[in-house]
């Protein structure tokens, strides 16, 4: 554990990449539709289509920024690099790492004394079972946390 380890959950990265591809396609398809079919529509429909295009383009850019999500683990703690921020948590502050979520997604919840954190770098689509890469990522986090506890106990 001498040098920092940078990891990404493959399933979470794939979710973000699929969203970028789909929204990227939509950001091309909507203007083409507006140009080709917009001549028959009125001004209001064209303006609404333009607003829809801007929303789709904004969502595509937001998801593209989410592709930089990753975790940097070292002896002192973990840094979750999010799309617009970074969260640094010391190992001694983490009380639990649990996998949960809702009916559509798997989420990892990092519990600390100050609150709960759900990093987007660990959010995956829910399929039939929990993704293997998510389990491996949580196991790696737990292994680093236990190793840090062992260093402070000695």
């Amino acid at each position: 554990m001498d040098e920092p380890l940078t990891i990404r959950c493959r399933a979470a990265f794939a979710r973000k990449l699929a969203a970028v591809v789909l929204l990227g396609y939509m950001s091309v398809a909507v203007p083409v539709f507006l140009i080709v079919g917009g001549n028959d529509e009125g001004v209001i429909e064209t303006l609404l289509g333009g607003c829809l295009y801007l929303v789709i383009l904004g969502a595509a850019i937001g998801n593209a920024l989410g592709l930089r999500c990753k975790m940097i683990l070292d002896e002192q703690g973990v840094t979750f690099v999010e799309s617009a921020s970074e969260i640094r948590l010391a190992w001694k502050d983490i009380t639990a790492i649990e996998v949960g979520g809702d009916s559509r997604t798997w989420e990892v919840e990092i519990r600390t004394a100050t609150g709960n954190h759900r990093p987007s770098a660990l959010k995956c689509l829910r399929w039939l079972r929990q993704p293997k890469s998510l389990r491996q990522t949580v196991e790696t986090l737990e292994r680093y946390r236990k190793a840090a506890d062992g260093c402070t106990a000695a």
Side-chain angles (χ1 to χ4, degrees), residues 52-110:
L52 174 67
Y53 170 71
L54 292 176
V55 168
I56 291 171
L57 186 63
I61 291 170
N63 276 296
L65 291 174
L67 290 175
R68 72 182 283 261
C69 291
K70 61 186 172 188
M71 295 160 285
I72 303 170
L73 293 77
D74 58 23
E75 293 175 352
Q76 289 78 33
V78 59
T79 303
F80 293 101
V81 178
E82 303 290 324
S83 56
S85 65
E86 292 184 7
I87 300 170
R88 175 78 177 161
L89 299 171
W91 294 120
K92 64 181 173 70
D93 296 336
I94 297 175
T95 58
I97 300 173
E98 296 179 357
V99 177
D102 56 21
S103 63
R104 297 180 321 269
T105 59
W106 291 105
E107 285 184 314
V108 175
E109 184 174 61
I110 311 293

Side-chain angles (χ1 to χ4, degrees), residues 30 34 43-56:
V30 168
L34 288 175
V43 175
I44 300 295
E45 288 83 3
T46 304
L47 287 174
L48 289 174
C51 291
L52 174 67
Y53 170 71
L54 292 176
V55 168
I56 291 171

